[in-house]
Structure formats: structure tokens, C-alpha cells
Amino acid sequence: MPAAAPSAERPAPVASLRPLAGSPRAIERLVADWLADGGPGAVVVRTSGSTGTPKDVALSARALLASARATLSRLGGPGSWVLALPAHYVAGLQVLVRSYLAETSAVVLSEHPDLTSATARLPTGRRYLAAVPTQLYRWLSEPADVEALQGFDAVLVGGGAAEASLVGAARAHGITVVTTYGMSETCGGCVYDGLALDGVSVQVGADGVIRLSGPVLFDGYVDDPDLTARVLRDGWLVTPDLGRLRPDGRLDVIGRADDVVVSGGVNVALPAVERRIQAMAEVAQCAVVAAPDPEWGRRVVAHVVPAPGVVAPSLASVRDFVAAVHPRSWAPRELVVQDRLPLLESGKIDRAKLCSTSALKPRP
């Protein structure tokens, strides 16, 4: 989501590279000067903390430039970008680095009333946009935004799993959607539409955990050598995600390793439950989390946003729908209907908030 404009009560943070902070334009200037100076030291990006405590990630100029060049090569060459994400997170930072390589200045979405207006300020030539799934979902409901999206050579969608139905709907409108997988520790997306960028290698171990290597890897976590040593092993980043490789080498990301919870003695894959509920006609958005429970240990809770003009599904119907494909023991034991899901500033679903909210609710 676009960064909120600073108010008189909350002044804009002081522009900085360590940690990365400031207004989009201030960060743009700092990053351009830093790269022009050879990139001394490292940029420190604070992770969004969508599932836990944020971490400070040190990214070298070498890694950021390697990622940006590989992205532009995959997409078809340099172009101009709309910055629709906070500049102090890695996805927004990379928009600025790619713009630097193209010798252009990004069009900042938050400086315009809407996506259509921002897009109109792009120069001729190749046009790109990076967004999170929630942004794409909302844009698709506005005909003017759909028309604007159709004019981009690529719309990168990452920062969280994009539902196949959402991607399919966008592509049906003629929008060139490219799904991305990556994290702050890999300078952002490093796997596009399931295929690793040039120079990046992907492995899936016998434990199902995804491992990544290549010039895009981070230098380490600031002031946390123990955590760095746990995730960086022999030139490979051990991610928190589970996946599988298709015969053609494409990567399918199944979900986070810690998204498998034990409920009543049964292992429940929360992402699989979430994807199933998302397929219900009555559901526009869904997030599935686990809350402490005295009987089950952890109970599965589904937070749903009903589709426009549709009555929200009942817990019984959701359970039956899940049980039609997965073990009934995977079906949620609680349903929370919301107008919209809470989001972090990065645009990702605030799962930590959903977990804490569910934990505070009395057991149904």
C-alpha cells in the first residue's frame, strides 16, 4: 500500500540508510547518491514483521544491483516505474534501484490521487509496477485502474501469496501479472512465475524447506550473528518456507514451515486451509491463523471478508467446504467475519494481529 502522508502529529522520519527511513523522495536521493558513490557499507532494511518480530537486514550495493539487473533482464529491459509500496521496505527500495539503473525517477503513487493519475505521469517506453496482492485486488474493482494496469509491461505481485483466482482475473483483463517470491534477505523477489532469476539457484530439501543462493543474498542480520549463522549455511539461505520443484524446475511455494500447527494431535497446514476457503464464492478474502486453546492445544481460526453483496458463509458451511478436500480435522473451529483484514504498512496481512485478536477471544 502507498505510504501514509506524514501528519503534523507524526513528523516524517529522519532520512537514513541505516536503517532505511524517510519520505520516498528522500530515500530515492539517498539511494542514488549511495550507489553513485560505490555503495559503501550496507543499507539496513527492517522486515515488516508480518509473522513476528521485525529483523534488521543488511543489504550490500552489490546484492541490490545484482537483483535489479536480473529483474530488468527477465522483464525485457529498463523502464519507468510507479512506486506503489513504502520505499523503506525492500520491494519499494528495489523500485528505486531499478529506476536508478534506468536513469529515471520513480512516479510515487502517494503523491497522486489514484493509480490512473500516477500512471499518466510515466514517460513513454517500458512501464513497470510492483504491488502486493491486496492492492491488485482493490484495483481490479475500479475500471479506471484496470485500464491503467493494462498499460504496464509487467505488474509484479509479491509480498505474500497471490491467489490463483486473483492472478487469473487480472490476466483475463489483459494485465501482465508476474508473480514473485523472495524476501528482504534476497533483496526482494528472486523467483518470477516459479523460475529463479539469472544467477539464483533454488533447492528444496528432503524436509521440504526452500533454500536459495546467488549474488542477491544479504550480508546478515544486524547485531545478530547467531541468527545469521542459522539461516546462512555454506552460501545458501535457509528460508522459513516450504515448497516443491516441478519437473520443469518451477518452484511452488506451499507456505511457511511454521504455518503447520498441531491441533488436537493433528498436523494442520494453514495455507492449504486458507486457499480452500478462499475458493468459496461467498469469500472475497481470507486469512487462517491458529489461536491457543485449552482443549485442542491450537484451534484453527478463519478470518474472512465476504464477497460484495453476499451474505457471509456460516462456520458449518466453511467446515463442510474444507472437509470436502482436506481432512475434517483441518477445518476451522472458529469463523471471524470482518469488513477488511488488518494490513501492515507494507501491504501484507497483519497475521500477528489476527493471532493476538483470536487469542483474546473467548473459546466458542
Side-chain angles (χ1 to χ4, degrees):
M1 304 298 295
S7 64
E9 293 76 20
R10 189 182 67 177
V14 176
S16 167
L17 291 179
R18 305 175 187 90
L20 194 61
S23 69
R25 290 301 177 201
I27 291 176
E28 181 181 46
R29 290 190 294 270
L30 285 177
V31 169
D33 291 344
W34 177 67
L35 291 173
D37 194 35
V43 168
V44 175
V45 174
R46 184 157 292 165
T47 64
S48 62
S50 57
T51 57
T53 304
K55 299 181 287 290
D56 286 341
V57 177
L59 301 174
S60 68
R62 173 193 55 78
L64 286 165
L65 290 170
S67 173
R69 291 182 176 120
T71 291
L72 296 176
S73 175
R74 176 66 59 86
L75 297 181
S80 54
W81 290 78
V82 168
L83 175 62
L85 298 165
H88 57 278
Y89 288 129
V90 72
L93 170 61
Q94 277 292 32
V95 167
L96 300 180
V97 176
R98 297 164 193 152
S99 298
Y100 172 83
L101 289 177
E103 299 181 349
T104 63
S105 180
V107 174
V108 179
L109 178 58
S110 61
E111 295 176 351
H112 300 274
D114 50 41
L115 179 63
T116 301
S117 302
T119 303
R121 298 300 301 271
L122 291 170
T124 58
R126 299 189 67 80
R127 295 178 166 191
Y128 301 120
L129 170 68
V132 295
T134 302
Q135 288 175 302
L136 180 60
Y137 171 81
R138 293 175 181 172
W139 287 329
L140 289 182
S141 66
E142 299 292 338
D145 290 337
V146 170
E147 184 176 356
L149 291 169
Q150 291 168 339
F152 285 91
D153 292 274
V155 177
L156 307 185
V157 179
E163 295 295 331
S165 58
L166 175 63
V167 175
R171 289 174 175 166
H173 282 295
I175 300 167
T176 305
V177 173
V178 178
T179 61
T180 72
Y181 167 71
M183 54 209 69
S184 299
E185 292 86 342
T186 60
C187 291
C190 61
V191 177
Y192 283 22
D193 285 337
L195 294 176
L197 295 178
D198 292 345
V200 174
S201 296
V202 179
Q203 288 183 350
V204 176
D207 54 1
V209 172
I210 299 170
R211 292 165 173 79
L212 303 166
S213 70
V216 301
L217 294 190
F218 74 132
D219 288 350
Y221 297 113
V222 177
D223 298 328
D224 199 337
D226 291 339
L227 180 58
T228 301
R230 287 201 297 272
V231 302
L232 279 180
R233 304 178 192 170
D234 300 322
W236 290 86
L237 171 68
V238 181
T239 77
D241 300 315
L242 300 174
R244 56 174 171 260
L245 289 171
R246 301 183 194 176
D248 64 359
R250 289 183 186 271
L251 174 68
D252 289 325
V253 181
I254 299 172
R256 290 178 61 93
D258 55 8
D259 278 341
V260 176
V261 301
V262 179
S263 179
V266 175
N267 289 337
V268 181
L270 299 183
V273 177
E274 186 172 297
R275 287 192 295 270
R276 177 60 179 166
I277 298 173
Q278 186 72 54
M280 297 184 74
E282 305 96 324
V283 174
Q285 290 180 289
C286 173
V288 175
V289 299
D293 187 275
E295 179 179 359
W296 303 101
R298 305 276 281 173
R299 75 176 181 273
V300 178
V301 182
H303 295 257
V304 301
V305 177
V310 176
V311 176
S314 66
L315 175 60
S317 64
V318 170
R319 286 179 56 80
D320 289 343
F321 194 78
V322 171
V325 171
H326 301 299
R328 192 167 188 85
S329 55
W330 288 22
R333 300 184 180 279
E334 182 181 348
L335 178 68
V336 180
V337 179
Q338 301 188 177
D339 293 332
R340 62 172 53 194
L341 299 178
L343 301 177
L344 296 163
E345 188 183 16
S346 62
K348 298 180 183 180
I349 295 173
D350 190 343
R351 295 181 184 275
K353 183 174 182 178
L354 291 177
C355 288
S356 62
T357 300
S358 299
L360 293 172
K361 290 175 67 67
R363 180 184 168 193

